[in-house]
Amino acid sequence: MSGTPENPRVVVIGAGIVGCSLADELTARGLRDVTVLEQGPLPAPGGSTSHAPGLVFQTNPSKTLTALARYTVEKFGSLDVDGVPCFQQVGGLELATTPERLAELHRRAGYAASWGVRGEIVDAARCKELWPLIDESVVLGGFHTPDDGLARALLACRAQLARATSRGARFLDRHTVTGIEREDGRVTAVVTDRGTFPADHVVSAAGFWGPVIGRMAGVDVPLQPLAHQYARTGPLPELSGATAEASKPILRFQDRDLYFREHTDRIGIGSYAHRPLPVDPFAVLPYDEARARDMDMPSSYPFTEEDWAPSWADCRHLMPALREAEIEAGFNGVFSFTPDGMPVLGESRRLRGFWLAEAVWVTHSAGVAKAVAEWMVDGRSSIDLHECDLTRFEEAQRSPSYVLERGARQFVEVYDVIHPLQPMERPRPLRVSPFHARQQQLGAYFLEGGGWERPHWYEANAALVDALGPLPERDAWSARYWSPIAAAEAKATREGVALYDMTPLRRLDVTGPGALDFLDRMTSNNLRKKPGAVTYTLLLDESGGIRSDLTVARLAPDRFQIGANSPADLDRLLRHAPAGVHIRDITSGTCCVGVWGPLARDLVQPLSPDDFSHEAFGYFRAGQTYIGHVPVTAMRLSYVGELGWELYTTADLGLRLWDTLWEAGQELGVVAAGRSAFNSLRLEKGYRAWGVDMTDEHNPFEAGVGFAVRMDRGDFVGKAALARAGAPTRRLTPLLLDAPDAVVLGKEPVHVDGAPAGYVTSAAYGYTLGRCVAYAWLPAGLTAGTGVQIEYFGEKVPATVADEPLFDPQMTRIRR
């Protein structure tokens, strides 16, 4: 029987917590032809859900993960099976035994306030009240979150299975998937050892078996299963007489990579302190074979005593009651990690109708199910998912060795104190621009993003710091991955000329006779301009949310070069491109130098046969020319608020382009400048960064980029929704910190009239302004001059709402 658009046939692979939650969410939205296939027996089929300890800590540096966890708490808190609740709200407690961890807990309290989670920093005495078994003398303080707790994952599966079944879904256990059928680029069926199931949509919610299912579909699943130690003590005298499964908060001892939860009169302990134990998903035993080998389930590997010994000593140090206790049982449970620690969600473009809902922990399971169900039924999620999008990884980040190495590192660092700029250490370098050798010679300090080595400052400019005068002292946290050299490079850009490596920014080539009509329909601004025009525009979704921002250069009547943000932009355009429109990612084969500063024209004009005057080469114009011997596409754009050009050429000529500019610029005092200065300069001009300042949760008028929307032209994606949108109730708001030496970094809560009212997106010290600049999502009614407070490490830092742009509001420096 064939499905219909109103009632498509959906097959979900996997009846763990994600699969059961998804079936419930899909059927709640009216879908009735939903089949969930499971290779093991229900209700405990043997995947990660079957052994999950069920800890749900909602607070996360990622706003998205926090939102997914909040929904999980909300939903599971409303479910029960035979009167037994599926969520026990005992709260959460994270301990600090070092000053560094206590500072981290203050940051986490800030995240909680930013994302709407209740929590407070408590002293050691209160930690002892909440968990009497701990040794108060080793604790400096804690972070208490009263709404966290324990998810009974298998019980939640049963509750949602029953609801989905009552609405028409069916759950079939003992069905092992052996293949995915497809036709004309669309999924058509799932093949099992007990029959074939036709499908219009297939969702892989197979957990650590995800790569196995993905291979059947020809879809890459960048996921690495790893084993994680969990042990349970024998009965403790201190807990004798306990009748509830748990009465104390779930506990984290992150300084030693440990967590604890009660099991009535016993304590369960999980450890991330051991060496990574990678598991080959293609070698995991089927359920019955695992049981035949005395394994409790396929996801439960034998306990490795040698890995446990150091953790057990740490447990006894924290809890004296454990010094006479013994471990009654233990196992190494398998679950999933990705290179960046985030889930992998979304529909494959290569196989339409094939969806991934993988690398999802119980903490986020119901939230992920809701988001994916919304995506499937409504075309978008109400929660921004760009950090989880399956397209986010570059090709260079998808090799099995990369996924293994980075996935294992995510395991090691799961409880580490991670700075927002802290890069992975390996494998590096992976992607380098053609200028890399010269950057090394100049002493570039590299951080990594998207696999690219990105200079943040250059030690060659250290001598310029002396001319700056005294700079404000920084606290130890904000001084990490920062140098005063960034201030010197910003000053050199404002007063002279600097070269910026813009190679990592994504570049797309769009050609064909229908390219203009296609791009005009897909984006928000007017692209019907003569060749040579460059336009800042937005990719919106059907609800008017900002999926990305783009610069589109019309190089010929039927050829465009697009500056984009992520692989998701390419994926979206390819999904909608009509026949005859060709889209290529040209990033790896090209490179770009940003030449910016008041002397930019003095540098490039003598090197080119063409006229670079303002009259001949205006702002937001593009042209083909030469810089010395190098053919370039020059675009008069500036992301730093100064006169200048982005110069593009092929990768093989990149080094020659850099050397030509560098040698000619010596008499002008040219410097190489890094991303630290770049970020400061762009915030002084109020230039938004997609994915940080704005996402598809925001519309252009809220985000301050309404100038990139032309409502007085033909139809485009999102136009109808924007026409229905009311006046904004929130805005992306510029703030200036009042004290010259105050610095924040982003994601901090902003208090208005003493209560949290929003959060910081981007922040950087504005060296030209002599103040830290922060952008924040705040209520729309705030006017310039309004005082607010930004919470940084628990301290309230005064700031003031400002008018934008903060620097050069008349744009005289760019347009000259």
Side-chain angles (χ1 to χ4, degrees):
M1 180 177 177
S2 176
T4 66
E6 295 77 22
N7 192 31
R9 300 163 299 183
V10 179
V11 174
V12 178
I13 301 173
I17 190 63
V18 177
C20 290
S21 297
L22 182 58
D24 184 46
E25 295 287 341
L26 288 172
T27 55
R29 285 164 176 77
L31 274 64
R32 295 294 177 258
D33 197 343
V34 176
T35 300
V36 183
L37 302 174
E38 173 53 59
Q39 63 179 347
L42 292 174
S48 299
T49 301
S50 300
H51 65 68
L55 281 68
V56 178
F57 284 91
Q58 298 171 85
T59 305
N60 193 283
S62 166
K63 179 175 179 289
T64 294
L65 287 187
T66 302
L68 297 174
R70 287 182 64 190
Y71 182 77
T72 300
V73 167
E74 176 187 331
K75 183 176 186 182
F76 289 177
S78 70
L79 298 176
D80 70 87
V81 175
D82 299 329
V84 179
C86 294
F87 184 78
Q88 191 171 359
Q89 203 159 54
V90 292
L93 178 63
E94 302 178 42
L95 299 177
T97 59
T98 66
E100 294 76 16
R101 180 65 62 181
L102 187 59
E104 169 71 1
L105 295 188
H106 277 286
R107 272 191 303 280
R108 290 182 60 77
Y111 298 143
S114 289
W115 315 145
V117 176
R118 288 201 303 154
E120 64 173 342
I121 298 295
V122 297
D123 62 16
R126 177 60 176 153
C127 292
K128 178 74 171 178
E129 288 179 15
L130 291 166
W131 252 90
L133 273 61
I134 67 172
D135 181 354
E136 179 183 356
S137 69
V138 304
V139 176
L140 299 181
F143 175 44
H144 180 224
T145 46
D147 299 327
D148 291 337
L150 291 168
R152 296 183 173 99
L154 288 178
L155 214 59
C157 284
R158 286 177 57 191
Q160 293 176 103
L161 185 155
R163 291 205 312 196
T165 300
S166 71
R167 302 185 190 114
R170 57 178 176 165
F171 289 75
L172 304 176
D173 63 0
R174 298 293 189 173
H175 282 66
T176 300
V177 174
T178 59
I180 306 292
E181 293 185 350
R182 70 200 83 173
E183 183 177 336
D184 296 329
R186 283 203 64 90
V187 69
T188 59
V190 177
V191 182
T192 76
D193 58 349
R194 297 176 65 179
T196 298
F197 296 83
D200 302 298
H201 295 277
V202 172
V203 186
S204 177
F208 57 76
W209 283 289
V212 179
I213 302 301
R215 181 175 293 182
M216 295 179 192
V219 174
D220 180 40
V221 182
L223 175 161
Q224 177 60 52
L226 289 113
H228 160 59
Q229 288 201 309
Y230 192 79
R232 188 180 299 193
T233 70
L236 299 178
E238 292 79 1
L239 300 179
S240 64
T243 56
E245 179 184 356
S247 61
K248 293 180 259 306
I250 48 177
L251 185 69
R252 275 173 165 169
F253 182 23
Q254 290 140 307
D255 288 324
R256 290 295 182 267
D257 296 311
L258 293 165
Y259 63 81
F260 304 82
R261 58 151 296 180
E262 296 166 282
H263 293 280
T264 312
D265 62 350
R266 295 161 168 82
I267 293 180
I269 308 164
S271 172
Y272 293 99
H274 56 83
R275 62 195 166 95
L277 300 169
V279 173
D280 180 358
F282 295 89
V284 176
L285 298 175
Y287 185 91
D288 291 325
E289 190 173 341
R291 294 297 295 249
R293 297 192 186 186
D294 295 325
M295 294 171 61
D296 187 45
M297 60 188 77
S299 61
S300 178
Y301 279 54
F303 194 64
T304 50
E305 295 282 355
E306 66 277 14
D307 292 311
W308 175 250
S311 290
W312 188 224
D314 289 330
C315 294
R316 290 169 158 178
H317 178 66
L318 178 68
M319 295 188 190
L322 298 181
R323 291 169 189 169
E324 302 301 322
E326 299 294 335
I327 295 300
E328 184 177 72
F331 64 96
N332 290 356
V334 182
F335 63 140
S336 303
F337 285 81
T338 59
D340 60 3
M342 301 293 287
V344 180
L345 312 178
E347 181 190 22
S348 169
R349 178 176 48 82
R350 291 184 172 87
L351 183 59
R352 301 292 182 89
F354 183 80
W355 295 75
L356 295 180
E358 298 289 10
V360 181
W361 295 6
V362 171
T363 302
H364 312 109
S365 55
V368 162
K370 177 189 177 186
V372 172
E374 289 176 335
W375 202 345
M376 294 176 70
V377 176
D378 305 326
R380 70 182 301 273
S381 165
S382 58
I383 295 173
D384 166 47
L385 296 177
H386 81 273
E387 293 177 307
C388 309
D389 196 298
L390 63 85
T391 66
R392 69 186 182 274
F393 296 113
E394 306 282 350
E395 284 300 316
Q397 298 173 304
R398 290 180 172 272
S399 70
S401 58
Y402 185 96
V403 173
L404 170 59
E405 187 164 8
R406 292 264 171 130
R409 192 64 196 169
Q410 287 292 332
F411 177 92
V412 170
E413 294 181 347
V414 71
Y415 279 168
D416 285 2
V417 177
I418 303 295
H419 193 277
L421 292 176
Q422 183 172 329
M424 286 281 193
E425 296 178 359
R426 293 167 50 91
R428 290 180 62 193
L430 184 62
R431 307 176 79 187
V432 298
S433 81
F435 323 130
H436 187 68
R438 299 293 184 264
Q439 293 165 343
Q440 288 179 307
Q441 292 167 5
L442 293 169
Y445 185 89
F446 293 100
L447 297 179
E448 181 260 1
W452 288 99
E453 294 297 316
R454 303 179 185 221
H456 275 241
W457 65 82
Y458 294 84
E459 290 297 330
N461 298 322
L464 301 177
V465 175
D466 295 337
L468 294 176
L471 288 172
E473 291 289 329
R474 286 203 171 209
D475 65 275
W477 184 250
S478 67
R480 291 183 65 183
Y481 306 104
W482 173 85
S483 168
I485 295 172
E489 292 174 359
K491 184 178 191 321
T493 307
R494 290 278 188 241
E495 297 179 357
V497 60
L499 304 184
Y500 288 81
D501 182 1
M502 306 301 290
T503 300
L505 299 184
R506 185 166 306 278
R507 292 172 290 285
L508 309 177
D509 184 62
V510 182
T511 59
L516 175 60
D517 289 340
F518 166 62
L519 293 175
D520 206 43
R521 185 178 70 256
M522 290 297 296
T523 67
S524 63
N525 212 336
N526 175 30
L527 302 184
R528 297 187 180 278
K529 303 171 184 176
K530 294 179 180 179
V534 183
T535 306
Y536 177 80
T537 188
L538 307 172
L539 271 179
L540 305 177
D541 62 22
E542 287 72 11
S543 71
I546 305 170
R547 295 196 59 131
S548 188
D549 61 345
L550 312 174
T551 54
V552 180
R554 191 177 190 185
L555 303 180
D558 57 358
R559 181 186 171 204
F560 297 82
Q561 181 174 309
I562 295 178
N565 284 297
S566 74
D569 297 344
L570 173 64
D571 184 82
R572 182 166 177 81
L573 292 173
L574 286 172
R575 285 175 186 270
H576 293 87
V581 173
H582 306 285
I583 306 171
R584 294 186 303 125
D585 188 330
I586 60 173
T587 309
S588 297
T590 57
C591 59
C592 177
V593 182
V595 183
W596 289 312
L599 301 181
R601 184 176 288 115
D602 300 79
L603 175 54
V604 298
Q605 182 61 86
L607 300 174
S608 177
D610 293 302
D611 188 352
F612 274 69
S613 69
H614 180 65
E615 293 72 22
F617 204 140
Y619 190 51
F620 267 84
R621 298 294 299 172
Q624 311 285 335
T625 186
Y626 289 86
I627 297 296
H629 299 292
V630 180
V632 301
T633 298
M635 298 186 195
R636 191 170 166 195
L637 305 174
S638 176
Y639 207 52
V640 300
E642 295 293 337
L643 171 70
W645 286 263
E646 294 178 357
L647 303 176
Y648 299 87
T649 192
T650 52
D652 59 324
L653 291 167
L655 193 58
R656 184 60 180 263
L657 174 62
W658 180 277
D659 287 345
T660 299
L661 293 165
W662 186 255
E663 292 165 11
Q666 290 309 298
E667 63 184 34
L668 299 172
V670 70
V671 303
R675 293 193 66 82
S676 187
F678 177 87
N679 197 45
S680 169
L681 296 168
R682 72 101 179 167
L683 279 172
E684 289 184 331
K685 283 297 295 179
Y687 294 147
R688 277 62 167 152
W690 183 85
V692 179
D693 298 316
M694 56 190 185
T695 69
D696 61 6
E697 290 185 353
H698 312 110
N699 76 39
F701 306 113
E702 298 172 322
V705 289
F707 63 88
V709 178
R710 287 290 300 271
M711 297 293 288
D712 59 347
R713 65 179 187 88
D715 194 27
F716 58 86
V717 175
K719 180 180 180 180
L722 292 182
R724 296 190 300 268
T729 59
R730 59 181 177 177
R731 291 190 188 277
L732 188 60
T733 305
L735 305 174
L736 277 176
L737 275 64
D738 293 353
D741 60 346
V743 175
V744 298
L745 299 181
K747 299 187 178 181
E748 297 89 356
V750 181
H751 296 255
V752 178
D753 296 329
Y759 60 91
V760 174
T761 57
S762 294
Y765 199 84
Y767 301 108
T768 317
L769 302 172
R771 291 287 190 280
C772 183
V773 180
Y775 271 76
W777 281 102
L778 291 171
L782 300 181
T783 58
T786 301
V788 301
Q789 293 178 315
I790 302 174
E791 185 177 336
Y792 183 66
F793 287 92
E795 298 293 328
K796 301 296 195 306
V797 180
T800 302
V801 174
D803 283 323
E804 61 176 343
L806 301 168
F807 176 76
D808 187 27
Q810 303 304 316
M811 304 285 282
T812 56
R813 300 175 70 91
I814 293 176
R815 303 176 185 274
R816 59 180 175 186

